[in-house]
Amino acid sequence: MKTLETLKTTLENFRPQMIELERVLSSIPAIAPESGGDGESKKCAALEKWLCEAGFDKNQMEHYDAPDSRVTSGVRPNLILTIPGKSNDYAIWVMAHMDVVPPGDLKLWKSDPFMVQYDEKSDKLIGRGVEDNQQGLVSGVFAALALLKNKITPEHTVKLLFMADEEFGSKYGIKYLLKKHPELFNNHDLILIPDGGDSKGETIEVAEKNILWLRLHTMGLQSHGSMPDKGKNAHLAACDLALRLNDLENFFNEKDDLFSPNYSTFQPTKKEANVETVNIIPGDDVFYMDCRILPRYSLDMVRAEVSKRVKEVEEKYGVKIEVSEPQAQQSPATPADAPVVKKLATAIKKAHGFEARPIGIGGGTVGAELRCCGFNAAIWSTMDEVCHQPNEYCYVRNIIADAETLCAMFTSD
């Protein structure tokens, strides 16, 4: 415990440097080319420079960059910082992503999204990326730096991974690493992703609902609004289909209290424009479904029932419906008693004195990619989850608290 108390004192003294690193990182908009940005290279270079100046050995940093001709640098960077441990039988990974989403409507921001503001009274940092995912990134960096400054060798090798492209599907991030550099990971590694959690740090995400996004394109026959019998109303057929697909919540109706909500959800969401005036029966209509499905139901099971209901609507209205999938993801769960979950829960108890519990979530993380490849991963952090919102914020005290937990994890057998 004396070692942990020493590290806690060091981390509290790092508060000004934590704020400064958040400012440095947010000042460089690491936005994907899909959103009009130039990727993460400048931000990664600034981070690498900061790490070297802080005292980390540049020889312990390795790049695994993914080629991408759309950005100026030609690559999407993935950087690994390794802190050798007393034992190398397995590694403890802390994985954070460098990319951020665009700020959105600037009128909703109280300050420049890319100039971090610190409110000392509330202990809040405000700016794009300060929580998603710089909070977890900074906690990992300073946990490692606390070991370095106190000349403490972790019990097991620690690897900090700074990833690209999480916000747009991870093709150039974790998917690239798993495909091109699978040798980086082994099944005994403990993988922690500080990119989701709750305001008290009490929940460890071990499972995700399967995700299926559907684009449903209904093709009928356009006619005058006064003569619907001359047309085939694509919008009407689509409305019927939306209700039938929403009703899948009653078909795939089992419950699992690991998740909140504890059931599968099938929700109509985005709607594309069809006709320009009120008095036209639309012959073409497009809408989307966001489906979050309990892992006990495979996506193929869902696809089969969707196809059945699509055919029923086609026959009823005489239309043709094309179904495509902008996103589809399913993954197994990390067992609640997996080593990474148990070691993290023990570290939380040791650092802060409370019990953490495993949960499942409806959102998607890079944890799903790792689990699909056979690697157990845990998602955890202490945060309000205000990612992607205007005036995104995080608390410095949460950066410190999570770094304390990581230090407890790094220094335990």
Side-chain angles (χ1 to χ4, degrees), residues 99 202 232 280:
D99 58 319
E202 294 178 332
K232 295 177 182 178
I280 295 177

Side-chain angles (χ1 to χ4, degrees), residues 19 123 136 171 197 218 299 326 336 351 356 376 403:
I19 295 171
D123 196 38
K171 176 182 177 181
T218 303
L299 292 187
N376 287 325

Side-chain angles (χ1 to χ4, degrees), residues 193-270:
I193 303 165
D195 194 20
D198 67 278
S199 61
K200 295 182 180 179
E202 294 178 332
T203 55
I204 302 172
E205 185 262 283
V206 297
E208 298 175 14
K209 289 181 179 178
N210 296 332
I211 298 175
L212 182 62
W213 288 1
L214 298 174
R215 180 182 187 270
L216 300 126
H217 180 193
T218 303
M219 293 162 284
L221 180 64
Q222 182 175 307
S223 66
H224 193 280
S226 66
M227 293 180 287
D229 57 313
K230 301 291 187 182
K232 295 177 182 178
N233 193 327
H235 183 43
L236 178 61
C239 289
D240 190 346
L241 180 60
L243 291 172
R244 291 176 191 240
L245 296 183
N246 175 244
D247 182 63
L248 291 173
E249 293 182 2
N250 298 314
F251 186 84
F252 298 103
N253 59 1
E254 292 191 35
K255 305 289 195 295
D256 187 339
D257 290 336
L258 186 67
F259 296 89
S260 179
N262 66 352
Y263 55 90
S264 300
T265 59
F266 296 83
Q267 291 292 312
T269 55
K270 181 179 176 181

Side-chain angles (χ1 to χ4, degrees), residues 12-40:
E12 185 61 44
N13 291 335
F14 278 150
R15 177 180 286 266
Q17 292 98 314
M18 292 175 178
I19 295 171
E20 181 56 28
L21 180 54
E22 282 270 23
R23 283 180 171 147
V24 168
L25 296 175
S26 279
S27 70
I28 306 169
I31 295 172
E34 288 90 341
S35 293
D38 199 34
E40 306 86 356

Side-chain angles (χ1 to χ4, degrees), residues 240-312:
D240 190 346
L241 180 60
L243 291 172
R244 291 176 191 240
L245 296 183
N246 175 244
D247 182 63
L248 291 173
E249 293 182 2
N250 298 314
F251 186 84
F252 298 103
N253 59 1
E254 292 191 35
K255 305 289 195 295
D256 187 339
D257 290 336
L258 186 67
F259 296 89
S260 179
N262 66 352
Y263 55 90
S264 300
T265 59
F266 296 83
Q267 291 292 312
T269 55
K270 181 179 176 181
K271 174 75 176 67
E272 293 185 6
N274 46 33
V275 293
E276 297 177 348
T277 65
V278 176
N279 63 343
I280 295 177
I281 299 291
D284 198 83
D285 194 89
V286 176
F287 77 97
Y288 295 76
M289 297 285 299
D290 185 329
C291 312
R292 309 285 170 142
I293 305 145
L294 292 178
R296 67 191 61 191
Y297 300 118
S298 72
L299 292 187
D300 282 344
M301 293 170 66
V302 173
R303 289 177 180 122
E305 188 61 25
V306 167
S307 294
K308 176 183 173 184
R309 299 187 183 209
V310 164
K311 288 178 182 176
E312 290 172 351

Side-chain angles (χ1 to χ4, degrees), residues 271-400:
K271 174 75 176 67
E272 293 185 6
N274 46 33
V275 293
E276 297 177 348
T277 65
V278 176
N279 63 343
I280 295 177
I281 299 291
D284 198 83
D285 194 89
V286 176
F287 77 97
Y288 295 76
M289 297 285 299
D290 185 329
C291 312
R292 309 285 170 142
I293 305 145
L294 292 178
R296 67 191 61 191
Y297 300 118
S298 72
L299 292 187
D300 282 344
M301 293 170 66
V302 173
R303 289 177 180 122
E305 188 61 25
V306 167
S307 294
K308 176 183 173 184
R309 299 187 183 209
V310 164
K311 288 178 182 176
E312 290 172 351
V313 172
E314 287 180 325
E315 291 173 2
K316 180 178 178 180
Y317 295 93
V319 297
K320 175 65 177 174
I321 299 172
E322 290 182 349
V323 182
S324 56
E325 300 177 3
Q327 184 177 179
Q329 175 72 60
Q330 61 183 357
S331 64
T334 291
D337 61 351
V340 63
V341 180
K342 293 170 68 175
K343 193 174 184 73
L344 175 57
T346 299
I348 293 169
K349 177 77 171 179
K350 184 177 180 181
H352 304 295
F354 59 80
E355 303 283 348
R357 69 185 190 281
I359 64 164
I361 64 169
T365 72
V366 297
E369 303 298 337
L370 289 151
R371 291 170 185 146
C372 285
C373 291
F375 302 111
N376 287 325
I379 287 79
W380 164 86
S381 195
T382 307
M383 57 171 59
D384 286 356
E385 291 212 321
V386 293
C387 59
H388 300 198
Q389 296 182 19
N391 305 301
E392 177 184 347
Y393 67 85
C394 77
Y395 294 103
V396 179
R397 60 178 176 269
N398 286 345
I399 298 176
I400 295 171

